[in-house]
Amino acid sequence: MTRLLKMSKLLFICALVYNLFGPNVEGLGVNWGTKCHHQLPPDTVVQMLKDNGIKKVKLFDADEIVLGALADTGIEVMVAVTNVELDQLTKKSNAEKWVKKNVVNYVEKKVNITSVAIGNEPFLKDYKDMFLNSTLPALENIQKALDDAKLGDKIKASVPFNGDVYMSPPWKPVPSAGIFRPDVSDQVEDIVEFLHKNNAPFIVNIYPFLSLAIADSGFPFDYAFFDGNYTIQDGDVEYDNVFDANYDTCVAALRQIGHGNMSVIVGEIGWPTDGNKWANNSLSSRFYNGILPRLAENKGTPLHPGHIEVYLFGLLDEDAKSVLPGCFERHWGLFDYAGQPKFHMDLSGKDKNKTLVGAKDVEYQPKKWCVVNPDATSDEQKLNESALYACDRADCTAASHGGSCGGLHDTDKIAYAFNAFFQVSNQSKASCYFGGLATEVDKDPSKGSCKFNIQIKPYEPDSTSPFSWFSFSPSESPLDSSSMPRLVAAPWMALVLFAVILFVVF
C-alpha cells in the first residue's frame, strides 16, 4: 500500500513537471524561408530549432544545404515544389526525377521528410489562372512518384492554399455558409477528392493580420486577436476572433463537397513586427500569446473541436522577400535576421514571460555604419536618387510609413538607406560613397526604436561537405550527439527538480 501511494505521488509529480517544463504545443511547426541577403548558416538554424524544441519545419523549396543540415535530427520536414516548377511536373518523368533528387536522395541521408507541398498558394487571386491547370497534374504525378519509390505511405503530397480559395456568400456572410470560390471551385474539389483518396490533409494559410492591415478600414481591431470583445453570431455559435471564423469557413466549404471530416492543417499563420502601422512587437506578442495557449488547450474551433496542426510563419525575418503584398513581408520572423528573439514567447503556450533561445555564436560584421556625409554639398535630388538606388538593392522597409523608422526626418531616412546598402554590400568602401554624399562612422546612428542594423557575416557553404552545392553523392552521417534523444525543451533546472523529487518521494 505504501509503495502504491509513493507511485501515485510520483506519477502526479511527473505530470506536474511535464506541465511546467514539457514540450511545445502538440504538432507545432514553423516555416523556414531563406530569402535573405545574408543567411545564417543552416547548421546554426537547425541548432536553434533544437534549442527551442521545434520538431517540424515547412520549407518553400528543396534547398540542398538546408536539407543537409536537417539530416539525422529527427525534425519532420515538409519540402516544397515551387510554383515555377508546377508546369514541368505535369510530365510524369519530370515528377519522378524531382522525387528522386529532392526526396529519395535525402530520405537515404536520414532527412525525416514527411510531406511535399505542391506549390505555394497557386490559386491566389492575384495569380489569376496561371497555375490553375498545372497544380492537380503535378500533385498526382508527385504522389505517384512517391508511391513508386515505396514512400507513399509515409510521405504525402498536398497543396498549401491561401485562405482566399473559400468564402462566405454575400447573402449569408457567416462561417457555416462557407463555399469554395466559384472561379476555382471545380479545381479545388478535384484536388480535395485526390487528397481524400490518398489520406492527405488539406492545407490552408490563414492571416488575421492581413484581415486587419489590408481589409477595409471598418475591420474590427479586436477581432484579429483572441482577447477582444468583438463577436459575430452564426446561429447558436458565437465567434470572438477571425481565426476561428476563417478556419470554420474552410471546414464548412469542405462539408459542402462532402469532406467535412478531412484533416485541415494551417500551413502558415503569424504576425509581422515592422513595415506597417499594425506590425510591431507589441501586437505580434499579443497575437502569439493569444493563439498559442488556445492551441495548447486543443480546444479547436466550433466546427472542428480538438487538435489543430499549425505551422507558424515564419522562423526568421527575410530581408530579400518581395514587398508587393506590403513592406511587412520582410518582418514575419519569430526571430530577427540574426536569429535573435524579438519578444517574450512560449511555444508551449504556458508562460508568456518565457524567452525563445536565439541563434548562438552569430558572427557580425565590424561595428561600422554608413550615413549622410555632413560635409557634402546638399543636393536633395541626388540624395533622393541615391536613396532609391540603395533601397532597390537593400531592405528599407522599416523606414516605410508605419514602420519603426517611418518617423525619421528625411536626412535620417536617407542615412538609413545608405546604411542598409552598406551592410548588404559587406561594408565595402565603394558601397558607402554615393558620389561623396555618404561617409562611414563608428558611432551607432540608431534613433529610439529605429535600429541601424549591422549585418551578419555572409555565409559561405563548406565545399567539402557531402551536402554542399557541388556534391550530389549520398553519404552516411557519422553517429554524433544530434542523433541521440535529447530533452531540448526542458531547462536544466527541470532535471535538477526531478532528481530532488525522486529523492524526496523514495
Side-chain angles (χ1 to χ4, degrees):
M1 186 68 179
T2 303
R3 183 174 179 80
L4 183 61
L5 186 60
K6 286 181 178 181
M7 287 300 297
S8 299
K9 288 181 179 179
L10 178 59
L11 289 172
F12 171 77
I13 294 167
C14 285
L16 178 62
V17 171
Y18 182 85
N19 187 56
L20 289 171
F21 303 106
N24 296 334
V25 170
E26 180 187 352
L28 187 69
V30 295
N31 286 267
W32 179 1
T34 56
K35 292 186 180 298
C36 309
H37 286 108
H38 288 190
Q39 286 190 40
L40 281 168
D43 286 339
T44 299
V45 179
V46 168
Q47 186 58 51
M48 189 170 67
L49 294 172
K50 292 179 180 180
D51 289 341
N52 289 285
I54 297 171
K55 298 177 181 178
K56 288 187 176 184
V57 293
K58 177 171 166 283
L59 307 178
F60 293 93
D61 50 26
D63 185 285
E64 183 178 4
I65 299 180
V66 169
L67 286 169
L70 288 163
D72 239 348
T73 63
I75 294 172
E76 295 183 24
V77 181
M78 183 188 298
V79 296
V81 169
T82 62
N83 286 344
V84 295
E85 293 176 295
L86 291 173
D87 188 59
Q88 302 170 32
L89 297 177
T90 59
K91 188 176 180 180
K92 290 182 179 180
S93 60
N94 288 339
E96 290 167 358
K97 291 175 185 176
W98 194 97
V99 166
K100 183 176 181 180
K101 176 185 176 183
N102 299 302
V103 181
V104 175
N105 182 35
Y106 294 105
V107 169
E108 291 174 349
K109 295 172 181 176
K110 301 182 182 179
V111 180
N112 187 20
I113 296 174
T114 57
S115 48
V116 179
I118 307 300
N120 187 47
E121 302 182 338
F123 292 176
L124 191 70
K125 284 181 182 178
D126 291 345
Y127 293 152
K128 301 188 183 301
D129 59 355
M130 190 180 304
F131 308 111
L132 200 59
N133 297 318
S134 57
T135 301
L136 177 58
L139 171 67
E140 292 172 332
N141 289 340
I142 290 291
Q143 188 63 59
K144 178 66 165 59
L146 290 168
D147 293 342
D148 290 346
K150 310 299 182 186
L151 294 172
D153 289 341
K154 177 192 174 187
I155 302 176
K156 301 296 182 181
S158 187
V159 180
F161 288 106
N162 185 278
D164 73 351
V165 297
Y166 50 82
M167 56 182 282
S168 294
W171 59 88
K172 194 176 182 183
V174 291
S176 63
I179 56 172
F180 286 110
R181 209 173 74 219
D183 61 308
V184 297
S185 60
D186 289 344
Q187 289 81 1
V188 173
E189 185 168 351
D190 288 343
I191 288 173
V192 170
E193 289 291 343
F194 182 81
L195 295 176
H196 172 71
K197 184 177 70 175
N198 286 278
N199 197 30
F202 188 90
I203 303 175
V204 63
N205 301 337
I206 298 176
Y207 282 108
F209 168 80
L210 296 180
S211 299
L212 181 62
I214 295 179
D216 295 337
S217 57
F219 186 86
F221 174 76
D222 278 350
Y223 199 50
F225 302 95
F226 298 87
D227 57 356
N229 296 316
Y230 185 87
T231 61
I232 67 166
Q233 200 70 32
D234 182 1
D236 295 332
V237 177
E238 187 175 78
Y239 287 92
D240 60 6
N241 69 87
V242 72
F243 169 75
D244 284 0
N246 192 312
Y247 189 93
D248 278 0
T249 304
C250 177
V251 173
L254 287 168
R255 284 184 178 180
Q256 286 284 334
I257 60 173
H259 293 289
N261 293 324
M262 175 171 278
S263 172
V264 179
I265 293 175
V266 178
E268 298 178 20
I269 189 168
W271 199 283
T273 56
D274 212 336
N276 182 278
K277 68 177 181 177
W278 302 118
N280 55 59
N281 285 359
S282 176
L283 293 180
S284 185
S285 175
R286 179 182 176 186
F287 177 78
Y288 281 117
N289 286 326
I291 192 170
L292 289 170
R294 287 175 64 92
L295 293 174
E297 293 172 357
N298 285 325
K299 181 179 179 181
T301 65
L303 295 187
H304 187 283
H307 172 67
I308 297 176
E309 185 174 342
V310 168
Y311 288 84
L312 303 180
F313 187 85
L315 182 61
L316 297 157
D317 282 349
E318 298 175 77
D319 65 350
K321 279 194 74 177
S322 167
V323 293
L324 285 177
C327 291
F328 51 80
E329 275 297 309
R330 295 176 176 174
H331 304 277
W332 287 99
L334 302 176
F335 299 84
D336 67 15
Y337 69 101
Q340 303 310 305
K342 299 177 180 179
F343 47 82
H344 292 304
M345 181 177 178
D346 180 16
L347 297 177
S348 73
K350 298 182 178 74
D351 182 3
K352 294 181 180 180
N353 295 315
K354 187 175 178 180
T355 301
L356 297 176
V357 181
K360 297 172 181 174
D361 303 319
V362 177
E363 294 187 64
Y364 292 84
Q365 296 182 132
K367 290 188 176 181
K368 295 189 295 184
W369 296 264
C370 183
V371 297
V372 175
N373 186 352
D375 298 326
T377 303
S378 179
D379 187 326
E380 187 174 334
Q381 182 177 346
K382 286 185 177 179
L383 282 169
N384 286 332
E385 288 174 353
S386 297
L388 288 172
Y389 176 91
C391 291
D392 189 47
R393 292 157 177 79
D395 178 29
C396 299
T397 52
S400 62
H401 178 68
S404 60
C405 300
L408 294 179
H409 294 300
D410 289 346
T411 301
D412 291 329
K413 283 187 177 180
I414 293 170
Y416 185 90
F418 285 177
N419 184 65
F421 180 70
F422 178 59
Q423 300 298 336
V424 301
S425 303
N426 300 323
Q427 299 186 347
S428 69
K429 290 288 183 183
S431 66
C432 188
Y433 183 63
F434 291 101
L437 296 175
T439 186
E440 292 182 28
V441 296
D442 56 12
K443 182 181 178 181
D444 188 350
S446 298
K447 298 180 182 297
S449 63
C450 176
K451 304 300 180 186
F452 282 53
N453 291 324
I454 291 177
Q455 258 291 359
I456 59 177
K457 289 184 178 180
Y459 167 64
E460 297 179 3
D462 179 6
S463 61
T464 64
S465 166
F467 294 102
S468 73
W469 292 110
F470 309 105
S471 174
F472 295 91
S473 59
S475 70
E476 292 296 325
S477 299
L479 184 64
D480 59 21
S481 60
S482 65
S483 64
M484 305 297 286
R486 304 178 53 190
L487 288 173
V488 293
W492 67 269
M493 288 188 297
L495 301 177
V496 175
L497 175 60
F498 191 66
V500 171
I501 289 167
L502 286 175
F503 179 80
V504 171
V505 173
F506 292 104

